Amino acid sequence: QVFVCGDDMEAKQMVMDIVRALGLTPLDQGSLLAAQEIENYPLQLFPMWKFPILLSLGLIAFFFFYCLIRDVIYPYVYENKDYSFFIAISIANRICPILALILLALVYLPGVLAAIIQLYRGTKYRRFPDWLDKWMLCRKQLGLVALAFASLHVLYTLVIPIRSFVRWRISSQIVSQALKNKTEPLDTTNAWLSDSYLALGILGFFLFVLLGITSLPSVSNNVNWREFRFVQVR
């Protein structure tokens, strides 16, 4: 992207045409008042990642304390059970998918709001409000952060069978069945529900990764608009 600003619309349009002729993408940044901000832009460190990271940290803090109160503090106070080890994996594995879905929704929500604003104004040639414009510009970063949380959820889920708590619970069930001299029959309904849940999770993560890959500039530049829209809509 090449940032362009100026007070003369004809001159600015001429420069933008030259930029397009060079195979680059011009981005209108408004009047000359934005020149200083544009000149300082190369000196900034990950400017488009600030909002996604701060938003993610805020959501992590909110859901962490909610899960901490619900799964650790409440059982300790009212049932005298120590589940503090849930902080390491159980709570983290519960937070990651929630954040992935919320951030993914925030990727597409500004597009809906932009469409509503355009319909209300009756034109698509007026600039969006600053908050919506900044939100739309960082959608790609929000999607990549959401993909990162989804990947963490997959890793946390894979280590569940080797957890000490899970192995203890399985062994206690085996001992209980041995003492009762009775084996619990296989519940095919629960087996179907479990396998379907895992299969849909794998499929959902595959589509999430596909969505993230097609959003990368090096990949999106090699697909046409119809192919890009097909992946995004699906």
Side-chain angles (χ1 to χ4, degrees):
Q1 292 180 342
V2 176
F3 297 139
V4 180
C5 64
D7 296 329
D8 190 332
M9 293 301 298
E10 294 183 0
K12 186 161 57 174
Q13 187 62 44
M14 185 180 300
V15 173
M16 295 175 68
D17 292 338
I18 295 175
V19 171
R20 292 191 186 95
L22 294 174
L24 304 175
T25 303
L27 183 61
D28 188 358
Q29 290 292 97
S31 65
L32 284 176
L33 295 176
Q36 185 176 1
E37 181 180 354
I38 295 175
E39 292 171 356
N40 293 330
Y41 191 83
L43 303 178
Q44 299 178 10
L45 183 63
F46 303 116
M48 302 306 299
W49 290 88
K50 183 177 180 180
F51 173 72
I53 291 176
L54 292 178
L55 177 63
S56 301
L57 292 177
L59 291 174
I60 288 174
F62 173 77
F63 287 110
F64 173 78
F65 285 110
Y66 172 78
C67 294
L68 183 67
I69 295 173
R70 181 178 181 271
D71 298 334
V72 178
I73 297 177
Y74 181 86
Y76 182 78
V77 173
Y78 290 95
E79 301 175 8
N80 198 24
K81 295 181 179 179
D82 185 10
Y83 290 142
S84 58
F85 57 90
F86 279 1
I87 297 176
I89 293 180
S90 297
I91 292 180
N93 195 31
R94 186 171 297 176
I95 293 175
C96 287
I98 295 175
L99 261 65
L101 292 176
I102 292 177
L103 294 176
L104 182 62
L106 293 178
V107 172
Y108 295 97
L109 180 59
V112 177
L113 297 177
I116 294 175
I117 292 176
Q118 287 178 344
L119 290 174
Y120 176 77
R121 292 175 173 177
T123 179
K124 63 178 182 179
Y125 297 105
R126 290 179 58 185
R127 289 181 61 89
F128 294 120
D130 290 339
W131 61 270
L132 182 58
D133 189 50
K134 293 179 180 179
W135 188 358
M136 294 185 69
L137 289 175
C138 68
R139 286 181 297 176
K140 186 176 298 182
Q141 287 76 10
L142 285 171
L144 293 176
V145 174
L147 179 59
F149 281 111
S151 302
L152 284 177
H153 175 53
V154 172
L155 294 177
Y156 276 121
T157 304
L158 291 175
V159 303
I160 285 179
I162 63 175
R163 293 178 59 195
S164 177
F165 173 71
V166 174
R167 288 188 283 113
W168 169 82
R169 187 168 58 184
I170 294 175
S171 63
S172 63
Q173 292 175 352
I174 295 174
V175 172
S176 176
Q177 292 181 15
L179 293 176
K180 294 178 181 179
N181 195 22
K182 180 181 179 181
T183 302
E184 295 292 337
L186 175 64
D187 189 346
T188 56
T189 301
N190 288 334
W192 263 107
L193 292 175
S194 176
D195 289 355
S196 300
Y197 176 79
L198 293 175
L200 290 175
I202 294 172
L203 178 61
F205 181 68
F206 168 76
L207 295 176
F208 208 153
V209 172
L210 182 63
L211 179 65
I213 292 176
T214 53
S215 298
L216 297 176
S218 58
V219 178
S220 61
N221 291 336
N222 293 323
V223 297
N224 58 39
W225 176 247
R226 187 175 182 182
E227 294 169 344
F228 181 78
R229 288 291 299 172
F230 175 81
V231 174
Q232 294 287 325
V233 172
R234 294 300 181 273

